[in-house]
Amino acid sequence: MSINKLTWGSYAGQSAGSLRFTRREALALGFCLCCLPARGFATESISLKDIGSGLFIREAPHEEATRANNGGIANTGFIIGRDSVLVIDPGGSLADGQWLRSQIRKRTNKPIRHVVLSHVHPDHCFGASAFAEEQPEFIGHHALSRALDARGSYYHERLVEILGPESVGGIVYPTREIEDVAEVDLGDRIVRITAHDTAHTDCDLSMFDTSTGTLFPADLLFVDRVPSLDGSLPGWLNEAKRLEGIGAARAVPGHGPAIVDFGPAMAKQVRYLTVLRDETRKAIAEGVGIDKAGRVVAAGEAEGWALFDDYNGRNVIQAYKELEWE
Ligand SMILES: [Zn+2]
């Protein structure tokens, strides 16, 4: 079964928590395999982009998780500050996280003190075990642990089927939970971390590097790849406004180019989400059934979005289930 036929968000309520490890347990179980000889991961061929001022981004392809990409399908990166390194999403698997960690170590020996887990989707947070040996703070939304309880073991099992157990690693829970807004000091620069209301998922964080004015909205912003809705459609539109209020000129989207002009990129996503909302509401008002709605709603928005046919129908169904109770 290909994981691309799974919407990460469709499995709330799956069996919980058997793979929950403390940092010490994870190490004892050997999930941190960074000391083993490096394999020739396909991700080696994907270069890291230096976008200046100590910011490095791995620009991921618009693919689904495969053995060839080791689950490295989301943008990940790190910020090198004066005193320490902060990782913004550790990657999609142990192997992907190991690759990212090796890229950091090619550039600096400063301690990796913070690893941000932007939300529950495995392409963003399943690389965390690669960093356990560094003993960073694993930073997550206050709802992330609950989301990992609900879905983590399911995601893990599916990813093991695709990548093999040796490449997946264990699930890491946040050791620091963000309730609202928090700041992390890397010595010479502050990264502001915001816990959002339910939007792309119910546990989205965004990060803002105050020294460069760079926003890291993670999957609150998709560029080129069609957004996938796994939280709340009106909520996502609200949180988009909140992000726009930060006034960032540039952003690192969760999927898409390493760095984009924030305004036009978010405007394009807002357009799609608005059409999705309005046409879903219209379908509900006209008594169009959910299956038919999934085939017709927002169908005119396909241009310019990769994987549109894979995700739009599921977005409509998610939106329909939410909006029919308005
Ligand atoms: Zn996501």
Side-chain angles (χ1 to χ4, degrees):
M1 180 187 224
S2 168
I3 211 161
N4 70 341
K5 295 306 168 199
L6 308 174
T7 299
W8 294 129
S10 301
Y11 299 93
Q14 293 288 333
S15 64
S18 60
L19 290 158
R20 179 173 184 153
F21 303 113
T22 65
R23 196 158 50 203
R24 183 175 300 180
E25 287 165 344
L27 287 169
L29 288 166
F31 284 120
C32 186
L33 304 176
C34 346
C35 47
L36 296 179
R39 290 168 39 186
F41 297 127
T43 41
E44 290 288 358
S45 63
I46 295 174
S47 65
L48 204 66
K49 295 202 170 175
D50 179 349
I51 59 172
S53 306
L55 297 170
F56 295 86
I57 306 298
R58 187 278 301 280
E59 185 181 287
H62 295 312
E63 297 174 357
E64 301 298 349
T66 64
R67 267 185 193 265
N69 62 33
N70 272 323
I73 58 167
N75 290 344
T76 61
F78 53 92
I79 303 174
I80 302 175
R82 186 193 67 199
D83 297 341
S84 64
V85 180
L86 178 143
V87 175
I88 294 183
D89 279 346
S93 66
L94 171 66
D96 194 35
Q98 285 174 326
W99 175 83
L100 185 64
R101 188 177 163 201
S102 73
Q103 294 298 312
I104 295 170
R105 288 296 169 237
K106 281 181 183 174
R107 289 163 179 82
T108 181
N109 288 319
K110 292 175 183 175
I112 300 170
R113 294 214 174 109
H114 305 92
V115 174
V116 175
L117 310 173
S118 70
H119 62 295
V120 70
H121 290 160
D123 51 333
H124 293 263
C125 68
F126 268 35
S129 60
F131 293 87
E133 196 174 64
E134 304 269 353
Q135 302 196 340
E137 278 190 334
F138 288 103
I139 299 175
H141 190 284
H142 60 83
L144 177 59
S145 291
R146 189 177 62 213
L148 286 168
D149 279 345
R151 304 174 174 191
S153 56
Y154 178 82
Y155 287 159
H156 188 272
E157 287 165 19
R158 297 288 79 75
L159 206 55
V160 164
E161 287 177 10
I162 295 165
L163 305 186
E166 72 285 359
S167 295
V168 176
I171 298 170
V172 175
Y173 277 66
T175 56
R176 176 178 177 184
E177 296 186 339
I178 307 299
E179 293 293 332
D180 183 17
V181 178
E183 292 188 341
V184 169
D185 188 352
L186 307 186
D188 57 344
R189 62 205 298 168
I190 300 286
V191 179
R192 189 175 304 135
I193 304 175
T194 299
H196 290 268
D197 292 340
T198 301
H200 168 63
T201 68
D202 67 356
C203 53
D204 300 308
L205 294 180
S206 69
M207 284 59 62
F208 183 61
D209 176 31
T210 56
S211 70
T212 62
T214 306
L215 180 65
F216 292 75
D219 274 5
L220 292 171
L221 178 62
F222 283 66
V223 177
D224 299 335
R225 177 180 176 137
V226 71
S228 67
L229 174 63
D230 185 22
S232 165
L233 181 49
W236 199 345
L237 287 162
N238 286 341
E239 295 307 307
K241 283 202 190 81
R242 186 172 175 187
L243 288 170
E244 285 165 342
I246 293 171
R250 63 183 199 159
V252 177
H255 298 269
I259 189 84
V260 297
D261 291 337
F262 176 67
M266 183 56 93
K268 184 184 177 200
Q269 179 176 278
V270 165
R271 176 192 154 88
Y272 168 70
L273 295 176
T274 302
V275 170
L276 178 64
R277 179 196 63 189
D278 293 349
E279 292 190 9
T280 302
R281 280 180 174 155
K282 186 162 177 280
I284 292 167
E286 292 175 353
V288 176
I290 192 167
D291 291 336
K292 184 178 177 192
R295 293 191 296 274
V296 299
V297 165
E301 294 299 305
E303 192 174 338
W305 292 116
L307 301 178
F308 188 88
D309 292 341
D310 291 327
Y311 283 88
N312 181 61
R314 285 180 292 192
N315 288 343
V316 175
I317 288 167
Q318 176 88 9
Y320 196 108
K321 288 177 180 171
E322 180 182 18
L323 299 177
E324 69 180 333
W325 298 104
E326 282 186 327

